[in-house]
Amino acid sequence: MKYPLTLKVNGETYRLEVKPHRSLLEVLRDELDLTGTNDGCRTGNCGACTVLLDGAPIPSCLMLALDAEGHEITTIEALSAGGELHPLQRAFVQRGAIQCGYCTPGMILSAYALLRENPHPTEAEVRRALVGNLCRCTGYVKIIEAVLAAAEEMASAEVGSR
Amino acid sequence: MRTFSIIGKRIPKPDAIPKATGQIIYGHDVKVPRMLYGKILRSPLPHARILHIDTSRAERLPGVKAVITAKDLPPRRFGYGRDRTPLKGDKVRRCGDEVAAVAAIDEDIAEEALELIRVEYDPLPAVFDPQAALQPGAPLIHEDRQSNLFRHQEYVHGEPDRALEEADVIVEDEFDLGYVQPAPLETSFCLAAFDASGKLTIWSTTQIPFLLQKDLSEALGIPGRDIRVIQTAIGGSFGRGLDMYSFEPICVWLARKAGRPVRLAFTRQEEFAVSEARQSMRIWARAGAMRDGRLWVRDAKVLLDNGAYVSWGTVTTLVLMETIGSLYRVPHARVVYDSVYTNNPITGAVRGFGNPQGTFVVEVQMDRLAEAIGMDPLEFRLRNANRPFEETPQGIKITTCGLTECLEEAARRIGWSEKRAAPARHGVIARGVGIAATMNVGGGARIYRSDGCGCIVKVDDFGRVTVLTGATEIGQGSDVVVVQIVAEELGIRPEEITIVNDDTAVTPWDVGVHASRTTFIAGNAALRAARQVKAQILETAEELLGASAAELELRDGYVRIRETPEQRIPFDKVVRARHFRQGGQVIIGHGWYDPHNEMLGPDGKGNISATYGFGAQAVEVEVDVETGKVRPLRVVSAHDVGRAINPMYVEGQIEGGTVMGLGYALSEHLQVHEGRVLNLTPFDYRMPTIMDAPPIETVIIETDDPEGPFGAKGVGEMGTNPTAAAVANAIYNAIGVRINSLPITPEKVLRALRERSS
Ligand code: FES
Ligand code: FES
């Protein structure tokens, strides 16, 4: 038995029919082909599936797709939608914060949410914001560097545009 | 001094942007038309006879397209020990053994079908303790073998018995090293499809694409030439992909039976429960030294628990033997090991491959010996450190060796002398520092008969260079290393290179990514291929510029005369000049590199690698004596990498390796009770989070290896090897107790403190 679902993802509205037990992660990946959201555990433990729900990072594997109706979902694909990398993406690329990359979309989205709330985070605040995102490859060192560098870059761009 | 334009630069990996934007395609993302979903039914029992399997209800479930059991498969065995079939027909030997498999139109139906399969088991007595498994009368795991002993081996150099009597001091310990999982973030995956002519394509997360052709062929009887392996982007591997597992031939057979492509992906729970863990080992070790500071002897007995089947992982003992026999100068050494079958989880290759275990033993005992002779542990290490261009009694021919520099640098930067002199104590918090070194193969490792890798470099009319390499990219950055080497040699920008590294039908042969070999081996192959292309370009440019090849150089996208660089022609123009002419020729270079290393003899001796990497880690920890919690505060990791082709990813390997080592030291532990894995989520397994990772300072020591491509040596595993020992030594420095069992949990710390005070 499938139920109708209206899902708003990255500013677009999709009308779907989904089984009630489908997670948001599965629907994003399987129905909408938004495969930038990765599947690492399906138990809310790894953060590879992180998306933004009304701007706040959540593990999409733990949310039923039907419960996402009425909310705005943002996935990694939205960040470079204009064809240009977001400063966070650029910093991750340029500072070696990406190895296998499986954690990267989730990391970037968690960091994106952090910088919106707190444009000048300390290292400790970056760590706290990314605690739900596991990375098995990098040892986190370059990820922290990248987030701090992106924060700085975004802050100076802000000043410049004023 | 040579100057480089591309080597040594912090250039992002070619796949970094697609990974940052979510465009990269991992195995889990691949879909093909008419694809089915495969699932495996696994044994709930550690040891049991299979009496009967009834799949009839599963077969009748609408949406199910294939159900297979051992009866459907050719009766062929595979694996390092030739001890398993993909599906088990007569008996199961571990929890999670594969009993049946289904393919259905979606995952829900596949799961439902599994529930409809009835298996009748007759439980057998099981054995979970490797020592008990060796006793007469122990349940036999493989009935066609005389006993549960898979292999016994002894390694000796010098005269260890005499040396143990001669030594001024002897220390003796028992070590208990638990299971850990490679646990990459992407779970195991494969997708198999046959074309109309019966040829198989498999999309895989393997580390050994070319050997997988052979392994699959062995397990299923499909000719290797009919198997094409395509590697998807791989979400981490760390040794997991070094062996073929049962799920791969199972997936292939489902696809054959269903006549449709089948995808099979592990759940995270499956990944923890059934994929191969680092061997748990029990090690009894003695070491002796002379009062003047000479390390004199090492003697170790190792019991390795393979679990129910052996994999290439059982070869880890060779690496361990090398660490015990050759890390530091030791005139007398002996290692005796038994590798044993039990009904425990299967084990395999995990980053470090026996070296983390061996290094733990060696480096904890180095500290103990130093203490016994009243010498500073750093000084004791420096005194006995390996030196450049010496051969160890094991036959290891060390060439470049920066071990002394690594030890000195790591110690200096952690503040060794001040901090050792007065370990800080504030209330219940005690601080301490510890150090440990590592030696790792850095120029390949001849585990197989070949240690080779191939490379092809071709150039199109517009100067775009395509590099086809056998090397497998698992996130570590082999792609960028190969690109930088080719770009340097051809004097072009890395952006002008396309790298293809994912298809056995296209790329030249390679034995796979393991043993930290890729930079050295694939790098040398790429350099050879690029040199051929360069020679062809120069030959054509000679005519165009009227100068001899010796007078020309490739720089910044031009061929130019070295002395008069304004006389130059664009690279792509030379290419076209060679193509578009009567009697023209295609520009293409190929390289093959197989180092002059040796397979170890039956006595465990030989020069297994063309060069060796060295490193040292110093760690400062904080121990809460009330809770037993250990917090690493800072790590300094200094490594002799020959030359860093790309320092950013060298650091990345070391930082990531170090945090994996910290997990091994302090938190990660696959808990196994009566053969069953109990912790099945990253949280319960205690994989390090960003909160657990301390600041890590990486120091790169360059020694310019004569055999390495532009002087480079391998680095991939070195960060993981010494960490646990450095942490254990730091804990001792902080609170004066030794914990020889990994991971060092708060419970163990508290117990040790209690025992000491009672
Ligand atoms: S897949 Fe959702 S947290 Fe791991
Ligand atoms: S880069 Fe591989 S998990 Fe983070």
Side-chain angles (χ1 to χ4, degrees):
Chain A
M1 175 74 185
K2 289 188 173 181
Y3 291 80
L5 165 66
T6 305
L7 206 57
K8 269 191 95 173
V9 184
N10 301 338
E12 279 189 52
T13 304
Y14 298 89
R15 280 179 224 296
L16 307 166
E17 301 244 305
V18 304
K19 290 190 194 162
H21 63 281
R22 284 272 160 257
S23 67
L24 178 58
L25 170 66
E26 289 168 292
V27 169
L28 289 173
R29 290 178 52 82
D30 298 342
E31 309 286 330
L32 305 186
D33 283 338
L34 292 169
T35 51
T37 309
N38 288 328
D39 174 358
C41 70
R42 300 198 190 180
T43 52
N45 272 189
C46 75
C49 66
T50 303
V51 299
L52 303 181
L53 185 80
D54 303 325
I58 58 147
S60 62
C61 67
L62 289 189
M63 178 172 235
L64 291 176
L66 291 175
D67 286 343
E69 180 150 337
H71 297 281
E72 297 264 355
I73 315 289
T74 310
T75 71
I76 189 68
E77 285 85 355
L79 260 63
S80 52
E84 214 176 292
L85 296 185
H86 184 273
L88 270 165
Q89 292 172 312
R90 211 161 40 232
F92 269 63
V93 167
Q94 281 168 358
R95 291 177 178 262
I98 302 173
Q99 288 185 28
C100 85
Y102 211 71
C103 68
T104 308
M107 285 282 181
I108 289 179
L109 286 171
S110 290
Y112 177 88
L114 167 72
L115 297 188
R116 278 241 292 238
E117 294 274 299
N118 176 0
H120 305 284
T122 62
E123 183 187 324
E125 286 165 339
V126 171
R127 285 179 185 266
R128 227 168 299 140
L130 300 183
V131 72
N133 295 84
L134 294 178
C135 175
R136 190 58 159 169
C137 300
T138 64
Y140 303 103
V141 177
K142 297 203 170 350
I143 290 176
I144 296 169
E145 279 172 21
V147 175
L148 292 172
E152 212 166 287
E153 189 198 321
M154 287 162 72
S156 55
E158 184 97 329
V159 172
S161 67
R162 253 182 231 148
Chain B
M1 261 296 276
R2 276 158 102 188
T3 55
F4 298 110
S5 40
I6 310 291
I7 298 296
K9 296 269 153 34
R10 306 171 81 88
I11 294 166
K13 284 149 60 64
D15 61 8
I17 289 178
K19 284 174 173 172
T21 54
Q23 284 165 325
I24 196 91
I25 297 173
Y26 294 103
H28 284 244
D29 303 336
V30 178
K31 278 186 196 164
V32 297
R34 303 180 71 238
M35 183 178 87
L36 301 173
Y37 294 79
K39 288 268 172 203
I40 295 173
L41 184 70
R42 299 175 178 281
S43 164
L45 300 172
H47 202 191
R49 218 157 276 300
I50 300 172
L51 299 179
H52 183 68
I53 307 177
D54 178 4
T55 57
S56 56
R57 287 175 64 211
E59 278 159 44
R60 286 198 300 272
L61 185 70
V64 171
K65 300 295 173 191
V67 181
I68 57 172
T69 64
K71 285 209 291 281
D72 297 280
L73 288 162
R76 299 173 77 100
R77 295 183 180 198
F78 72 95
Y80 181 81
R82 293 281 180 285
D83 54 11
R84 52 183 128 169
T85 53
L87 288 161
K88 315 304 181 276
D90 49 352
K91 73 168 191 171
V92 291
R93 297 175 179 84
R94 59 155 183 159
C95 294
D97 244 357
E98 302 79 2
V99 176
V102 302
I105 54 171
D106 68 34
E107 263 183 315
D108 290 345
I109 296 175
E111 256 156 40
E112 198 183 333
L114 289 189
E115 284 165 26
L116 295 176
I117 299 175
R118 290 283 158 263
V119 186
E120 238 179 278
Y121 295 102
D122 180 16
L124 294 168
V127 58
F128 307 110
D129 179 301
Q131 236 166 343
L134 290 177
Q135 299 309 310
L140 209 49
I141 318 288
H142 294 276
E143 275 124 1
D144 54 351
R145 301 182 71 96
Q146 304 293 308
S147 83
N148 293 321
L149 179 67
F150 175 71
R151 184 178 282 161
H152 171 89
Q153 195 168 352
E154 300 196 15
Y155 167 81
V156 185
H157 74 243
E159 291 179 66
D161 285 319
R162 206 195 70 209
L164 284 163
E165 279 174 26
E166 286 166 355
D168 290 333
V169 297
I170 299 279
V171 296
E172 188 165 355
D173 295 282
E174 185 177 336
F175 297 91
D176 175 14
L177 311 177
Y179 292 109
V180 292
Q181 276 280 4
L185 218 52
E186 183 190 28
T187 59
S188 301
F189 168 89
C190 83
L191 166 60
F194 285 92
D195 70 12
S197 65
K199 292 199 174 53
L200 168 67
T201 301
I202 178 162
W203 288 261
S204 166
T205 48
T206 182
Q207 289 177 222
I208 44 155
F210 297 93
L211 301 186
L212 185 62
Q213 290 178 293
K214 170 177 162 289
D215 289 348
L216 275 172
S217 155
E218 212 163 70
L220 295 172
I222 300 170
R225 63 175 173 272
D226 290 347
I227 301 171
R228 174 178 182 186
V229 179
I230 297 177
Q231 287 164 300
T232 56
I234 298 173
S237 200
F238 314 112
R240 175 185 68 188
L242 193 66
D243 285 273
M244 183 181 76
Y245 291 148
S246 294
F247 79 90
E248 291 157 306
I250 289 172
C251 181
V252 169
W253 216 255
L254 283 170
R256 166 170 276 198
K257 182 145 184 207
R260 287 168 67 165
V262 174
R263 160 202 209 269
L264 212 158
F266 277 12
T267 63
R268 177 57 62 184
Q269 285 79 358
E270 252 176 327
E271 188 80 22
F272 276 117
V274 305
S275 79
E276 298 180 359
R278 178 181 293 157
Q279 296 71 23
S280 82
M281 283 187 191
R282 232 172 280 164
I283 303 174
W284 295 266
R286 291 186 288 182
M290 295 303 194
R291 290 224 176 271
D292 62 7
R294 276 174 299 159
L295 172 64
W296 198 243
V297 58
R298 284 200 191 113
D299 184 24
K301 196 166 166 283
V302 180
L303 190 60
L304 176 149
D305 184 353
N306 286 308
Y309 306 100
V310 304
S311 68
W312 275 98
T314 203
V315 179
T316 52
T317 44
L318 298 182
V319 176
L320 181 136
M321 250 157 50
E322 264 175 21
T323 307
I324 293 180
S326 292
L327 171 57
Y328 300 108
R329 295 163 154 183
V330 57
H332 308 278
R334 174 169 54 209
V335 184
V336 178
Y337 79 78
D338 287 325
S339 100
V340 178
Y341 283 115
T342 63
N343 294 109
N344 279 327
I346 51 171
T347 56
V350 183
R351 193 184 212 165
F353 205 70
N355 210 336
Q357 295 104 311
T359 305
F360 190 68
V361 171
V362 165
E363 283 293 26
V364 164
Q365 292 200 323
M366 286 300 276
D367 254 38
R368 302 239 295 128
L369 287 173
E371 190 178 17
I373 60 169
M375 196 181 242
D376 177 83
L378 172 65
E379 207 193 314
F380 181 56
R381 286 180 169 85
L382 288 169
R383 164 106 218 229
N384 293 289
N386 309 94
R387 307 280 197 274
F389 298 94
E390 69 183 10
E391 184 171 340
T392 76
Q394 205 159 11
I396 285 178
K397 297 190 179 96
I398 295 171
T399 56
T400 49
C401 172
L403 179 55
T404 298
E405 295 88 322
C406 291
L407 281 163
E408 283 170 345
E409 226 15 55
R412 189 176 68 77
R413 293 187 191 224
I414 205 85
W416 180 262
S417 338
E418 315 87 77
K419 286 179 178 156
R420 288 293 291 198
R425 177 85 190 241
H426 302 285
V428 294
I429 304 292
R431 284 190 178 187
V433 292
I435 198 164
T438 175
M439 175 180 97
N440 202 87
V441 291
R446 196 165 290 270
I447 299 288
Y448 311 107
R449 293 250 157 249
S450 170
D451 196 5
C453 178
C455 185
I456 294 170
V457 175
K458 69 183 201 73
V459 191
D460 74 11
D461 276 345
F462 309 98
R464 171 148 290 274
V465 172
T466 302
V467 182
L468 312 176
T469 172
T472 290
E473 169 62 48
I474 48 175
Q476 83 281 40
S478 67
D479 54 2
V480 76
V481 164
V482 166
V483 163
Q484 282 179 262
I485 286 171
V486 173
E488 181 72 42
E489 194 58 22
L490 297 183
I492 55 173
R493 291 179 302 137
E495 303 86 86
E496 282 156 346
I497 298 178
T498 302
I499 184 157
V500 178
N501 55 4
D502 57 1
D503 187 343
T504 56
V506 176
T507 56
W509 192 82
D510 174 52
V511 299
V513 52
H514 68 96
S516 309
R517 70 188 280 277
T518 303
T519 290
F520 187 88
I521 307 267
N524 266 324
L527 186 55
R528 289 179 177 195
R531 281 189 183 141
Q532 288 187 1
V533 166
K534 184 174 174 178
Q536 293 162 12
I537 301 262
L538 290 182
E539 190 185 86
T540 305
E542 276 183 331
E543 300 165 25
L544 302 173
L545 285 165
S548 77
E551 296 166 282
L552 300 176
E553 64 178 7
L554 273 70
R555 206 64 197 244
D556 305 331
Y558 290 90
V559 184
R560 62 188 195 189
I561 299 175
R562 198 172 291 112
E563 299 303 322
T564 50
E566 53 306 334
Q567 283 182 276
R568 58 181 202 179
I569 326 173
F571 182 80
D572 55 332
K573 203 165 173 189
V574 185
V575 176
R576 287 193 294 275
R578 193 168 172 97
H579 287 170
F580 287 95
R581 60 156 82 172
Q582 197 73 43
Q585 274 175 317
V586 70
I587 294 198
I588 193 162
H590 60 89
W592 165 254
Y593 180 76
D594 190 16
H596 51 76
N597 50 6
E598 311 161 351
M599 281 188 104
L600 297 184
D603 57 357
K605 292 182 183 166
N607 190 36
I608 191 164
S609 185
T611 184
Y612 299 83
F614 293 87
Q617 271 178 4
V619 181
E620 181 171 16
V621 301
E622 202 170 77
V623 187
D624 182 328
V625 296
E626 219 161 69
T627 62
K629 191 155 171 38
V630 177
R631 199 159 71 91
L633 296 176
R634 202 158 77 86
V635 180
V636 180
S637 207
H639 293 268
D640 162 16
V641 302
R643 180 184 309 284
I645 304 281
N646 185 323
M648 186 159 82
Y649 294 111
V650 168
E651 289 161 9
Q653 284 303 296
I654 292 166
E655 291 157 1
T658 301
V659 170
M660 222 176 227
L662 286 171
Y664 189 46
L666 294 171
S667 67
E668 292 182 39
H669 188 208
L670 202 64
Q671 287 168 20
V672 180
H673 178 68
E674 303 205 327
R676 198 176 323 249
V677 177
L678 302 178
N679 43 352
L680 299 174
T681 66
F683 181 78
D684 294 324
Y685 172 75
R686 305 225 33 228
M687 192 140 117
T689 70
I690 200 165
M691 287 299 191
D692 303 313
I696 298 167
E697 188 184 340
T698 300
V699 186
I700 295 175
I701 309 271
E702 295 197 320
T703 50
D704 196 6
D705 194 82
E707 181 69 18
F710 295 104
K713 307 197 269 193
V715 66
E717 293 161 291
M718 271 208 290
T720 304
N721 298 335
T723 318
V727 168
N729 291 341
I731 293 172
Y732 181 74
N733 182 233
I735 57 171
V737 298
R738 283 263 164 221
I739 294 152
N740 289 345
S741 138
L742 295 179
I744 303 174
T745 56
E747 297 77 33
K748 291 180 191 169
V749 171
L750 288 181
R751 200 181 317 131
L753 283 169
R754 257 198 316 273
E755 273 163 20
R756 193 190 49 181
S757 59
S758 68

